[in-house]
Amino acid sequence: MLKKLALLLMITWPAWAWANTGSIFVYNKSQDDIVTANNHTQLRSIASITKVMTAMVYLDYHQYLNTKIRLQTPVRSNLPRQDYSRRDLLAAMLVRSDNAAAETLAADYPGGREAFIRAMNAKARTLKMSSTQFVDPSGLNSGNQSTAGDLVEMMLAAARYPLIREASTARQASFETYHGQKIRTIELPNTNRPLLLEFDSIIVSKTGWTTPAGWCVGMVVEKDRQVYVVVVLGSRTKQERFDTAKRLMINHIPDRQIEELNLDWQF
């Protein structure tokens, strides 16, 4: 009886009740419809969701992704300091949220890190993210702030980049590292792996966490040829973030009949 009651609550309880300390937003792009929202205009630190903007700005300029550059480690990294292709650094940043990879890519931009951050903010203005500002490429700085509503625009823009779609939803990424004459492969699992394993409809994914930001996630979902954006900001724990996102997916992204679909959206 208790199990049945718990299942009923999970299905029927309003979304805001699961995330009343944070912000949530579910938007149906295909129907131009706000499906559910709470605190979606509240300004918050966004942690590593920042890296979605970092990837877009970098890809807007750099097309030669097989070129190798040296990993810079002003912050902690999941990888040893050596040369990696730009493509590998983008993967490390999007799959495992590697902060040193983000800093290395920013430093590789024409004009260096400061010019890169200016480009991030210019891109935000282009996307009409009027409440958003960036002060670093990784999201470690709490000054990287936005709203759930603004992040919808960023996530939809990111869905237009094939590399971001592919890398951000990879269950894991592999990297060859060198120790003297030996080659060792490092496997880095995706920070959003539980949701990616649960839902195969996610086409863009990025998590984040810092103490000021709480636990966050932004996703683009394509289901039954409808495109949705799901944003969760400020969850108190990793489990709460997972539970909130899962309930939003189950309750607010239903199966639809093909004849009901709006097919105008194209990536």
Side-chain angles (χ1 to χ4, degrees):
M1 181 67 180
L2 289 176
K3 288 184 178 179
K4 290 182 179 179
L5 178 60
L7 179 61
L8 180 64
L9 286 172
M10 185 181 79
I11 294 172
T12 61
W13 201 257
W16 57 262
W18 299 107
N20 55 14
T21 63
S23 300
I24 62 169
F25 203 118
V26 179
Y27 174 67
N28 184 327
K29 168 65 179 177
S30 302
Q31 303 292 339
D32 189 21
D33 179 45
I34 297 174
V35 180
T36 188
N38 186 57
N39 294 333
H40 62 286
T41 62
Q42 190 174 83
L43 194 64
R44 293 179 175 273
S45 294
I46 60 171
S48 285
I49 292 179
T50 294
K51 294 182 175 81
V52 172
M53 181 62 79
T54 299
M56 286 195 291
V57 170
Y58 193 79
L59 288 167
D60 284 346
Y61 181 82
H62 282 295
Q63 302 300 316
Y64 300 104
L65 298 183
N66 292 326
T67 300
K68 290 193 174 184
I69 56 178
R70 173 71 55 163
L71 177 69
Q72 299 186 15
T73 53
V75 291
R76 188 175 177 180
S77 178
N78 298 290
L79 299 170
R81 193 168 187 268
Q82 63 177 50
D83 291 345
Y84 299 91
S85 71
R86 290 166 169 164
R87 187 183 305 277
D88 279 348
L89 291 176
L90 283 162
M93 181 181 73
L94 292 171
V95 173
R96 196 57 192 171
S97 206
D98 193 279
N99 294 314
E103 289 287 351
T104 301
L105 294 171
D108 186 48
Y109 192 78
R113 186 178 189 271
E114 291 186 7
F116 188 84
I117 293 168
R118 288 196 296 271
M120 293 173 72
N121 286 297
K123 180 85 168 178
R125 291 192 295 272
T126 298
L127 295 175
K128 296 182 171 53
M129 299 169 65
S130 59
S131 298
T132 300
Q133 69 167 356
F134 297 101
V135 297
D136 80 0
S138 69
L140 285 175
N141 193 310
S142 62
N144 286 15
Q145 296 185 330
S146 188
T147 66
D150 269 14
L151 292 180
V152 166
E153 302 300 329
M154 186 177 77
M155 298 305 293
L156 284 171
R160 300 182 184 274
Y161 293 74
L163 187 147
I164 295 177
R165 291 177 64 161
E166 179 183 354
S168 71
T169 57
R171 276 37 170 194
Q172 64 181 26
S174 301
F175 304 88
E176 286 190 349
T177 62
Y178 300 90
H179 298 266
Q181 300 299 316
K182 295 182 178 180
I183 299 177
R184 182 164 66 96
T185 300
I186 294 178
E187 304 280 356
L188 299 181
N190 197 303
T191 56
N192 200 26
R193 187 180 176 92
L195 281 171
L196 292 172
L197 291 173
E198 187 101 10
F199 301 99
D200 60 8
S201 54
I202 300 170
I203 61 170
V204 177
S205 164
K206 189 69 198 76
T207 63
W209 176 83
T210 61
T211 299
W215 297 86
C216 313
V217 66
M219 299 180 291
V220 181
V221 178
E222 191 173 45
K223 187 171 183 180
D224 291 335
R225 300 170 74 185
Q226 297 273 288
V227 176
Y228 300 83
V229 183
V230 177
V231 178
V232 176
L233 302 177
S235 292
R236 293 165 293 187
T237 66
K238 188 175 185 179
Q239 186 64 45
E240 182 183 273
R241 177 183 68 188
F242 172 80
D243 291 342
T244 301
K246 180 176 179 178
R247 289 178 180 114
L248 291 173
M249 294 279 287
I250 292 173
N251 295 349
H252 298 290
I253 305 182
D255 292 314
R256 296 175 182 269
Q257 297 298 317
I258 294 297
E259 59 266 26
E260 298 176 353
L261 302 181
N262 178 337
L263 304 180
D264 292 338
W265 169 255
Q266 294 181 354
F267 288 113

